[in-house]
Amino acid sequence: MSWKVQNWYDQRIENIIARLLRAGVLAAALVVIGGAIPYLTARRLTRADYHSFHNEPAELKTVHGIFQSALSGAPRGIMQLGLLLLIATPVARVVFSVFAFAIEGDRRYVLLTMIVLAVLLYSLFGSFLMT
Amino acid sequence: MNVLEFTFLVWTGSLIAGFLGALTGLGGGVVLVPLLTIFFKVDLRYAIGASLVSVIATSSGSAAAYVEEGFSNIRLGMFLEIATTLGALLGAFLTAHVPLSVTAVIFGLVLIGSAYSSRRTRQRTEVTEVADPLATKLKLNGTFPDTSGIRHYNVYRVPAGFSVMFGAGALSGLLGIGSGALKVLAMDQAMKVPFKVSTTTSNFMIGVTAAASAGVYLSRGYIDPSLAMPVMLGVLIGSLLGTRVLVRTETRRLRLLFSGVIVLLGIEMLFKGLTGNL
């Protein structure tokens, strides 16, 4: 591919990626706000205490647990789902890049991008094994 | 302080941090942790978790603004992300094994260092080395639009840049920051990538790097939704406002002031770490 075509292609890919990222952040922020409203309504007069670390309940620490907690309507679960969505946006970007490089026929970069993807997926789904 | 007051104050503080961070180009993430630990007495682990999440928000949220300029180098970014994500995984792993006081000391040093590096004027020596064959093989050399048309650039010292990126990832994972300054340093100084290309590519990489440690933070219970909520929403809105205002503001004095604040926070973190008062 000549550099001109390559540049045009890369630029188009980047524009799609940027839109994807912005949409992901917006969706995440809306879900977080969706959980924040019932949370603040119910707990507004409780004392805020983050001075000591007491870990998080198990259902807010795994992907599966967060979905269950959010679906049950728990305000903190919904906020955590929004944050999970936010964490997932860069992951989606990497997945998209794997396909973009594949369409372009750049096998070496498909492989390199899949290494990055593997690290991200390990962190999200397998890191509880690593303590 | 009740939850409503606390949430509102943290939101406001994060908004200001995000705004100043974007406006001065120093990044808001680096002041969030000291803000939360020093002024709101938040445990360092919760502060780092909330900060990391908001780093992803700003990186992804501002990507659109950067992409339109057409400077970033996708292949370079993706290749170096192997280093930053592996580093981030290591850094996140270390958070649970390094004493909190040590983390606070490292944080203080990073704050002071980042304020210092922003004051230093960039000096570029003319490149006389031969192009790195690895860069050619990995198609890292690129082009970017310039006032005089399309300019071509080569990428040098790929292994050195890759190693610094691993370090940047590790700091990001250990401290919950974007470590954008170090990423730019790796590309701009070590690999001789044009400055504009370095900053935009770095912004793209920050989100992916942070996502690599976010999973570990989540499973460790460092990400508390009630705390991360106001931090993330504040920083996101603040930084988006900051990038809007950026174009028509003289930021030299503001940069100086903000660097001063960062140094003071750095000294305070250092002090907290050394006295074990966490």
Side-chain angles (χ1 to χ4, degrees):
Chain A
M1 224 186 294
S2 76
W3 70 262
K4 210 166 188 177
V5 176
Q6 171 93 54
N7 219 47
W8 173 82
Y9 181 81
D10 282 1
Q11 185 67 36
R12 245 186 40 159
I13 294 284
E14 282 183 58
N15 279 325
I16 299 170
I17 290 174
R19 256 178 273 157
L20 182 83
L21 291 175
R22 200 164 41 181
V25 172
L26 189 68
L30 289 176
V31 174
V32 169
I33 292 170
I37 294 166
Y39 164 75
L40 289 175
T41 316
R43 301 280 210 86
R44 62 185 182 280
L45 298 177
T46 322
R47 209 171 81 84
D49 180 24
Y50 297 96
H51 186 54
S52 53
F53 182 73
H54 22 244
N55 215 321
E56 292 297 307
E59 72 264 23
L60 294 181
K61 297 204 303 188
T62 63
V63 175
H64 181 71
I66 293 168
F67 269 99
Q68 282 199 322
S69 171
L71 286 176
S72 77
R76 277 166 54 86
I78 297 171
M79 287 194 285
Q80 197 77 322
L81 181 66
L83 299 176
L84 188 64
L85 210 57
L86 186 69
I87 297 168
T89 23
V91 184
R93 190 209 123 187
V94 176
V95 171
F96 181 84
S97 300
V98 173
F99 287 109
F101 284 128
I103 291 167
E104 212 177 317
D106 193 333
R107 287 227 204 115
R108 179 175 284 144
Y109 269 89
V110 170
L111 188 72
L112 291 176
T113 310
M114 281 173 86
I115 297 174
V116 176
L117 186 61
V119 178
L120 293 178
L121 293 178
Y122 171 74
S123 171
L124 269 176
F125 295 101
S127 64
F128 58 88
L129 300 169
M130 179 182 83
T131 40
Chain B
M1 216 183 319
N2 70 41
V3 164
L4 198 62
E5 293 163 345
F6 179 83
T7 304
F8 179 73
L9 288 177
V10 168
W11 181 78
T12 313
S14 306
L15 190 129
I16 296 168
F19 182 76
L20 289 177
L23 201 58
T24 55
L26 292 166
V30 83
V31 296
L32 280 174
V33 172
L35 179 82
L36 290 171
T37 50
I38 296 168
F39 295 103
F40 292 100
K41 308 280 175 223
V42 172
D43 178 87
L44 189 59
R45 281 156 287 198
Y46 284 139
I48 287 175
S51 164
L52 187 81
V53 164
S54 58
V55 162
I56 301 179
T58 36
S59 163
S60 299
S62 60
Y66 285 110
V67 163
E68 276 160 24
E69 300 171 16
F71 286 105
S72 63
N73 183 333
I74 317 185
R75 280 190 169 73
L76 181 64
M78 194 52 78
F79 172 65
L80 294 174
E81 270 163 14
I82 296 175
T84 61
T85 50
L86 285 173
L89 214 51
L90 175 75
F93 173 73
L94 286 177
T95 47
H97 299 271
V98 169
L100 282 187
S101 54
V102 175
T103 309
V105 168
I106 297 175
F107 212 117
L109 295 175
V110 167
L111 282 167
I112 295 166
S114 71
Y116 171 77
S117 76
S118 78
R119 295 271 299 115
R120 197 172 44 92
T121 46
R122 279 200 322 281
Q123 42 189 333
R124 298 208 65 139
T125 44
E126 267 316 299
V127 184
T128 49
E129 304 171 56
V130 283
D132 191 330
L134 201 56
T136 317
K137 201 175 171 201
L138 292 168
K139 292 193 264 183
L140 300 179
N141 303 321
T143 52
F144 71 98
D146 197 7
T147 41
S148 55
I150 300 288
R151 254 186 59 195
H152 184 87
Y153 61 87
N154 284 327
V155 175
Y156 301 87
R157 287 189 273 172
V158 175
F162 196 83
S163 314
V164 179
M165 282 295 176
F166 183 82
L171 275 185
S172 168
L174 181 67
L175 307 175
I177 58 175
S179 68
L182 194 54
K183 289 193 175 85
V184 171
L185 204 70
M187 284 186 271
D188 174 57
Q189 294 292 318
M191 306 176 88
K192 307 287 177 201
V193 175
F195 189 66
K196 258 291 186 186
V197 178
S198 303
T199 50
T200 49
T201 306
S202 153
N203 181 72
F204 243 49
M205 296 173 62
I206 286 173
V208 174
T209 310
S213 31
V216 179
Y217 282 22
L218 204 63
S219 59
R220 286 260 169 72
Y222 288 7
I223 299 178
D224 182 273
S226 336
L227 174 70
M229 176 262 288
V231 175
M232 173 260 195
L233 293 176
V235 173
L236 183 62
I237 297 169
S239 67
L240 290 178
L241 288 176
T243 21
R244 289 267 161 86
V245 181
L246 183 61
V247 237
R248 33 198 171 84
T249 324
E250 164 62 53
T251 57
R252 206 181 56 86
R253 277 206 178 153
L254 199 61
R255 267 180 84 94
L256 203 65
L257 184 75
F258 196 54
S259 308
V261 172
I262 290 178
V263 170
L264 288 179
L265 291 173
I267 294 169
E268 176 72 23
M269 286 299 280
L270 210 58
F271 188 70
K272 271 173 100 74
L274 292 173
T275 54
N277 172 31
L278 284 161

